Amino acid sequence: MTKKTAAVILLLITAAVIFSAGCVNDAPAAKDGDHVSVYYTLSVDGIVQESNVGKTPLEFTLGSGAMIKGFNDGVIGMKTGETKTITVSPEDGYGVYTREKTNEFPLSEVEAAVGSVEVGQILYLNGGQLTAEILTINKEKDLLEAAVNHHMAGKTLVFEITLDKIGN
């Protein structure tokens, strides 16, 4: 037997052992329309913000719009049991921070809820999911104008995601 023949046989035996041991993940990859469940940890600037690891997995349908684009796109192509880290830009996350999306609020109601307010102050709405930066206060009209953004707007998000399963 030549060295070349021996090398080919060794290569074939190694491939057979790897394949039979289950080291090749031939599971289907997640695609748009699939119902998936995942475990994730979200970090911003190296600080963990939230995680469901060790808890109930997050379930959603890929491509349904239920998740931010960057997270959804990061899960597409993953296989069951796979873990990966993705970085999501503000544009593919919760958007860039802007002062152009504004709402008006009754000044007297806001002050009754949080006390006196001033321009530049940040208020937290919807359980902290939204921020409202006070831009103007008009005491005569009893109104304040605030730029409203998601609290993660403008932030680069880093997710470590493990695909738990594909399907219901």
Side-chain angles (χ1 to χ4, degrees):
M1 180 169 14
T2 67
K3 286 184 181 181
K4 185 176 181 181
T5 303
V8 169
I9 291 171
L10 181 60
L11 180 64
L12 290 172
I13 291 171
T14 302
V17 168
I18 290 172
F19 184 74
S20 66
C23 294
V24 176
N25 186 352
D26 59 355
K31 62 188 181 315
D32 267 345
D34 284 343
H35 186 81
V36 297
S37 63
V38 299
Y39 293 101
Y40 72 92
T41 299
L42 165 62
S43 298
V44 176
D45 298 326
I47 299 169
V48 172
Q49 301 295 311
E50 62 185 58
S51 178
N52 72 340
V53 175
K55 301 175 185 169
T56 303
L58 171 67
E59 296 186 22
F60 65 99
T61 300
L62 288 167
S64 69
M67 302 302 296
I68 58 172
K69 181 182 183 328
F71 190 93
N72 183 88
D73 292 352
V75 175
I76 291 175
M78 290 182 72
K79 295 181 178 187
T80 301
E82 181 180 353
T83 299
K84 73 177 182 179
T85 301
I86 61 168
T87 301
V88 178
S89 69
E91 294 80 5
D92 287 337
Y94 293 100
V96 295
Y97 186 90
T98 179
R99 289 186 167 161
E100 295 175 15
K101 295 185 282 184
T102 63
N103 285 356
E104 289 184 334
F105 300 92
L107 177 60
S108 57
E109 290 180 25
V110 172
E111 288 183 324
V114 300
S116 65
V117 293
E118 59 188 40
V119 171
Q121 184 175 346
I122 305 290
L123 304 175
Y124 296 92
L125 311 173
N126 291 356
Q129 291 299 304
L130 299 175
T131 61
E133 178 186 2
I134 299 174
L135 302 176
T136 63
I137 296 174
N138 186 330
K139 291 187 182 209
E140 292 172 7
K141 292 184 178 180
D142 189 40
L143 288 175
L144 68 79
E145 180 184 33
V148 179
N149 288 275
H150 189 279
H151 75 286
M152 292 285 184
K155 300 194 183 300
T156 298
L157 312 172
V158 178
F159 290 96
E160 182 177 85
I161 304 169
T162 300
L163 181 58
D164 181 50
K165 68 179 180 177
I166 300 173
N168 291 335

